[in-house]
Amino acid sequence: MSALRRKFGDDYQVVTTSSSSGSGFPQQQASAHKKKRQRFVDKNGRCNVQHGNLGSETSRYLSDLFTTLVDLKWRWNLFIFILTYTVAWLFMASMWWVIAYMRGDLNKAHDEKYTPCVANVYNFPSAFLFFIETEATIGYGYRYITDKCPEGIILFLFQSILGSIVDAFLIGCMFIKMSQPKKRAETLMFSEHAAISMRDGKLTLMFRVGNLRNSHMVSAQIRCKLLKSRQTPEGEFLPLDQLELDVGFSTGADQLFLVSPLTICHVIDSKSPFYDLSQRSMQTEQFEIVVILEGIVETTGE
């Protein structure tokens, strides 16, 4: 305790700050009546950052359309999924109906001596059903294409190629979105508070992390970032300067074997950003600590 008093003064007490998985936690307020400070990174890992005045922002997102669709919310993904298939189905059914209309098949649908392009297609609903049967490879056998229709054969090839592209794009997008390991973070628990205390004779910032599942996190690694505004000697103001907090990088302690809850430690020495802060100044200082836990899910490889 003497080392703590020399560092923080006689009125030393444990300083606690909130922490969370993959998110930031600002220091606890000195008094409870103070207004809650808005986070740079929320507890769920979402960054409170809005981009503006970038120029051609829409075109940049559309140039990487696949990633844009994966990043959309589920309701928009489902809406685009249903809309794309509906438009594609109606378009292709219209193409089959146009071929039947231009060949006069609609007026001779019930003529047994006449060979149409597609048998038993005599209106738009029947053309739509023919497309669905061929696209879904159902093949009831009642509606079928004949060899007297070269334009129908070409359209059938185009339909197969277009259907494969749409399926690969949309189903691949949905699969990637469902297999994202974001929900895995729900079973990675961080301690409610971080504490500053003595450990092994050194002043240390500590918090705990644990894995609730039996499946392991392969190559788990933890990092800590300190977000704090500062002014350079040249007078430049940096509103969100990022500083690395050493949680064992030099000794390999940042590589975690997360089979039981572990205590993550940052030694407050002369290299630490907290070295010049007292207990009172730490409670009033404007800063935020972001904890990042990275690893590979054993069951999925994500």
Side-chain angles (χ1 to χ4, degrees), residues 6-266:
R6 287 197 301 270
K7 179 64 182 175
F8 286 151
D10 293 334
D11 56 345
Y12 165 77
Q13 61 181 6
V14 175
V15 180
T16 59
T17 63
S18 300
S19 66
S20 179
S21 173
S23 60
F25 49 95
Q27 73 280 14
Q28 191 178 24
Q29 301 293 343
S31 56
H33 68 274
K34 287 189 177 182
K35 185 178 180 180
K36 185 177 180 180
R37 195 172 302 156
Q38 186 176 4
R39 298 174 181 270
F40 179 73
V41 180
D42 285 335
K43 288 280 191 177
N44 58 8
R46 184 178 64 88
C47 296
N48 293 318
V49 178
Q50 292 183 351
H51 302 286
N53 300 324
L54 296 178
S56 304
E57 182 177 0
T58 303
S59 61
R60 294 177 183 271
Y61 282 115
L62 293 179
S63 63
D64 188 13
L65 184 59
F66 187 83
T67 306
T68 301
L69 290 177
V70 173
D71 289 340
L72 289 177
K73 294 184 178 180
W74 269 108
R75 57 177 177 267
W76 290 110
N77 273 111
L78 293 176
F79 174 76
I80 294 174
F81 186 88
I82 296 173
L83 179 64
T84 302
Y85 272 111
T86 302
V87 171
W89 290 348
L90 292 176
F91 172 75
M92 292 305 303
S94 300
M95 294 297 293
W96 286 112
W97 180 85
V98 168
I99 289 179
Y101 176 80
M102 294 180 64
R103 288 174 53 89
D105 295 348
L106 301 180
N107 299 325
K108 303 177 182 179
H110 301 285
D111 188 355
E112 297 181 357
K113 298 180 179 180
Y114 178 74
T115 303
C117 180
V118 180
N120 300 311
V121 171
Y122 42 84
N123 53 22
F124 182 79
S126 60
F128 183 79
L129 286 175
F130 168 73
F131 167 74
I132 295 297
E133 291 172 14
T134 55
E135 179 66 18
T137 64
I138 297 174
Y140 292 119
Y142 183 69
R143 298 178 180 87
Y144 54 89
I145 190 172
T146 63
D147 57 356
K148 304 297 184 181
C149 182
E151 59 268 33
I153 297 175
I154 295 175
L155 181 60
F156 182 77
L157 295 176
F158 175 75
Q159 169 187 315
S160 300
I161 296 174
L162 180 63
S164 299
I165 294 175
V166 172
D167 289 343
F169 190 84
L170 292 181
I171 296 178
C173 177
M174 299 294 286
F175 176 78
I176 293 296
K177 190 170 183 65
M178 287 188 295
S179 62
Q180 284 183 325
K182 290 183 178 180
K183 292 300 181 180
R184 181 63 174 87
E186 299 295 331
T187 52
L188 294 172
M189 302 298 294
F190 277 62
S191 55
E192 182 67 20
H193 299 92
I196 294 179
S197 182
M198 294 296 294
R199 169 171 280 199
D200 297 329
K202 299 177 182 178
L203 195 61
T204 307
L205 170 68
M206 296 176 290
F207 59 91
R208 303 192 79 196
V209 59
N211 181 18
L212 297 182
R213 291 189 179 273
N214 293 328
S215 58
H216 299 312
M217 290 285 294
V218 181
S219 301
Q221 183 179 16
I222 196 164
R223 295 183 295 131
C224 291
K225 292 286 186 179
L226 175 66
L227 305 180
K228 180 181 178 182
S229 302
R230 72 179 183 91
Q231 190 170 6
T232 64
E234 295 79 14
E236 180 184 4
F237 179 72
L238 303 177
L240 287 173
D241 188 36
Q242 299 185 14
L243 299 174
E244 189 79 19
L245 295 182
D246 187 6
V247 289
F249 177 78
S250 57
T251 60
D254 59 331
Q255 304 289 335
L256 306 181
F257 183 50
L258 204 58
V259 295
S260 62
L262 298 177
T263 301
I264 310 302
C265 299
H266 166 69

Side-chain angles (χ1 to χ4, degrees), residues 286-299:
Q286 298 284 340
F287 69 87
E288 182 173 341
I289 300 176
V290 179
V291 180
I292 304 169
L293 177 61
E294 299 175 318
I296 301 175
V297 181
E298 184 183 35
T299 53

